[in-house]
Each structure stands twice: as C-alpha cells, then as structure tokens.
Amino acid sequence: MSSSTPTAITAVEVVLPGLVEPDGLRVESRLLPAPEAGELLVAVEATGISFAEQAMRRGRYFGQPAFPFVPGYDLVGAVLEVGPGGDPALPGTRVATITKTGGWASHAIVAARDSIPVPPGIDPAEAETVVVNGLTAWQMLHRTAGVKAGQTILLHGANGGVGGILIQLAQLAGVRVIGTASPRHHDALRAAGVEPVDYNDPRIVERVLELAPGGVDAAFDNVGGAMMYASYRMLAPTGVLVCYAIASELNNAGGMVMPFVKALAQVALWNVLPNRRSAAFYDLWAGHRLRPARFRAHLVEDLGRVFALLGDGTITANIAARFPLAEASAALTLAESRTVRGKVILIP
C-alpha cells in the first residue's frame, strides 16, 4: 500500500502539441493518477531545457513519443507519495529523476528506479543542471573514454550544459581541455581554463592539431555529420572518439533513423580498422531495459559522485537563466538562440 492516503493532485504541464515554434507550447492542467508499484509522485522543484527537447520540438529526436506529450528529460523534486510496496521513508525526500519526457510539470509520476536522493543543502535548480548533464559528462569521461591525468581532450559544444560540467570534471582529473564554440563564448571559456577554437573555422582540424600536435587523447562530439569525421582525424594514435548526439541533423528534413544508423555504422567500421584508435556512441539509456540492476548501480554511483562534488563546491552549477514553468515558450526560445552558456532552468 502507499505510504499515505492518496491525494488527488492536479498537475500543471507544458505540452508539446506537434511541430510548432516555441510559442506553440501549451500550458494545461491534468488530474494525476495515484502512483503505481515502482512509481513516485513528485512535486517538481526544477526541470530544464536540453538539446533533447529542442530536437523533439522539431520531431528530430530519435525514439521520441507521438505528439502531444509533455517534454522534460529530467527533474528534481520532493516525493509526495510512493506506490504500493514502495519505501515508506521516501515521502519528503528530494530526488533527482531521469525521465526522458514528462519533466516540464508542477507534479509528475516518475519511476523510483530512475530516481536517486539529492544530498541536503543543494539548491534544486543547481542540482537540476547536473542530473542528465553531469551523469552524461561523468560517464563519457570515466566509463567510455577512461581519461587519465595529463591527457588532452577535444570537447565540442564547450559552452553547453554537458560541456560546462565536462570541463570541470576533466580539469579535476588533471586533463587539458580544448573546446569548440562560437567566438562570443571564447573569453568565458578561457576564463574557465579552456583553450577555445571556433567550431566554424574551416581549418578546425589544423587548428586543433596545432594545439595538440600529437592529436587529442579523446574527442567528445555532439555535432555528428562531417564534424564526426573531422574529430576522428584529430585523435592521437591511441585516441578515442565519443559521439553523443548528431546536432548537425537538427534542422534537416527527413527522419532520424538513417542518420543514426549511418553514425553507428561508421563507429563500428572505425573499430575494426587495423589501428589503435577507437570510437563509441554514448547512450545514457544503454542497458536500462536489458540490464536494469547494472544501470541502476551506475546511476547511483556516478550521479552520486557528481552530487558530492557539487555539494562540497568542487564543481559549480552553470545556470544560464531561470524561468517560471508558465514561461516555457520564452525559456525554450532563449535556449535555442545558442547565445547562452549553461542550462536554462524551469521553476514550477
């Protein structure tokens, strides 16, 4: 049975009705059902805007649900109620949850196995910036690339949400960071200890190799397309390329299946070439269905480490702006402008 008497909760949700501009988002209310076994009812304190929602708005995110739906890849909130058989100690606990969709709401039903407690003393909005972004950055650095002190990495989208956390985690590990971004972000990147390169520079390969003559030990590529091939060319003889998005396809016509298949096929081809370089396509959700216990263990361990670093001030949250949930259209417009550094946060 539930930990408390079920309470009727009316959630305010931001709905993506179809292929619309940001001002086409709708704010609606819905009576939520009671949480079922394995679920939590959460009062959302912070959620955010990432590349995923920007792609979903265009119908360009691989595997997104049919319209209409509530976006929101992750959230931080207080547990109000647990489903039957759930932990009776959880109500009142602040948790962080990876959701893929459903986060842009005042209240949400979430999976308990995809939620972990947020340490006391961390601001909900700051915690939100490192849920998916911090988990992605940590796992790509330490589980996929296996970076080591003294190495040099190339980071595309260094001014973004994932980039801002990955920079700090890399530097904490004693790793040098070369980051690509628009020139308007270069001063901020230099101040953060990053060596910036213009991502639109036609000589980007030569420019990076001037900074790292032997090639980079790891490249983190969220652009895809031609940039993925360029990134591979910048690798050191034993370097690893980690792809984690194909942002170059965001505004193209057609489905997303073939671009992903092409990228995965290229990664597989690189891995059978007779050299010591390697490539991987990072997927945060890998193993979620087939190896749930392992997925959960990595979620708890990796995000727990990131939260600990945030809590003691070793790393800092990079909040680009905070908007009320009802102003999601304006928030999404700002996030898509590519003028901000960090993550745009929605506060229900």
Side-chain angles (χ1 to χ4, degrees):
M1 67 186 287
S2 170
S3 64
S4 60
T5 302
T7 303
I9 294 290
T10 298
V12 177
E13 300 176 324
V14 177
V15 177
L16 182 57
L19 300 176
V20 297
E21 293 301 312
D23 61 7
L25 294 172
R26 299 198 304 247
V27 178
E28 300 178 354
S29 296
R30 178 172 68 95
L31 187 65
L32 293 181
E36 298 180 355
E39 294 181 335
L40 309 173
L41 170 61
V42 174
V44 182
E45 297 174 293
T47 181
I49 299 175
S50 63
F51 169 78
E53 292 89 14
Q54 298 172 45
M56 288 179 188
R57 181 184 72 76
R58 297 167 169 85
R60 304 291 294 162
Y61 191 84
F62 184 70
Q64 72 182 72
F67 296 115
F69 65 90
V70 177
Y73 214 89
D74 56 8
L75 61 83
V76 170
V79 177
L80 298 181
E81 186 180 336
V82 302
D87 183 351
L90 275 178
T93 301
R94 175 173 291 150
V95 296
T97 307
I98 54 174
T99 56
K100 192 173 288 186
T101 59
W104 291 5
S106 64
H107 300 79
I109 302 290
V110 303
R113 76 179 183 108
D114 296 333
S115 307
I116 77 164
V118 177
I122 300 180
D123 174 75
E126 294 190 353
E128 161 59 25
T129 66
V130 302
V131 181
V132 162
N133 289 349
L135 183 63
T136 297
W138 180 277
Q139 292 186 341
M140 289 198 303
L141 274 170
H142 297 292
R143 292 197 182 275
T144 308
V147 297
K148 298 178 177 63
Q151 292 187 327
T152 297
I153 66 169
L154 171 67
L155 172 62
H156 292 297
N159 61 295
V162 172
I165 302 299
L166 196 147
I167 288 167
Q168 295 180 73
L169 294 177
Q171 292 172 337
L172 184 63
V175 172
R176 174 191 177 202
V177 182
I178 300 171
T180 71
S182 168
R184 63 173 165 264
H185 298 296
H186 285 191
D187 286 345
L189 289 174
R190 289 190 188 95
V194 176
E195 296 167 65
V197 175
D198 183 357
Y199 69 92
N200 278 325
D201 189 334
R203 297 185 63 254
I204 188 170
V205 174
E206 290 79 4
R207 176 63 181 138
V208 169
L209 291 178
E210 287 171 3
L211 295 172
V216 297
D217 297 290
F220 300 90
D221 190 323
N222 64 344
V223 182
M227 188 63 78
M228 184 175 74
Y229 293 87
S231 297
Y232 189 79
R233 290 169 56 199
M234 300 181 224
L235 291 179
T238 58
V240 55
L241 170 62
V242 182
C243 305
Y244 64 105
I246 47 175
S248 59
E249 290 289 332
L250 194 59
N251 294 315
N252 292 342
M256 289 297 291
V257 174
M258 287 311 299
F260 267 105
V261 169
K262 183 178 180 181
L264 291 172
Q266 184 59 58
V267 165
L269 176 61
W270 278 327
N271 284 329
V272 297
L273 292 179
N275 60 40
R276 293 182 294 164
R277 290 175 174 173
S278 62
F281 204 107
Y282 171 81
D283 176 12
L284 181 146
W285 297 95
H288 185 259
R289 291 184 180 180
L290 298 179
R291 304 183 70 179
R294 179 175 181 268
F295 181 92
R296 169 73 183 176
H298 286 177
L299 172 66
V300 171
E301 180 180 354
D302 300 344
L303 187 51
R305 287 178 172 177
V306 175
F307 275 147
L309 294 172
L310 180 65
D312 67 15
T314 302
I315 64 172
T316 58
N318 194 354
I319 299 175
R322 305 182 195 218
F323 285 81
L325 183 67
E327 296 179 17
S329 293
L332 183 56
T333 298
L334 177 63
E336 292 189 3
S337 71
R338 302 179 72 179
T339 61
V340 296
R341 182 166 178 259
K343 189 169 186 178
V344 176
I345 301 297
L346 296 173
I347 307 294

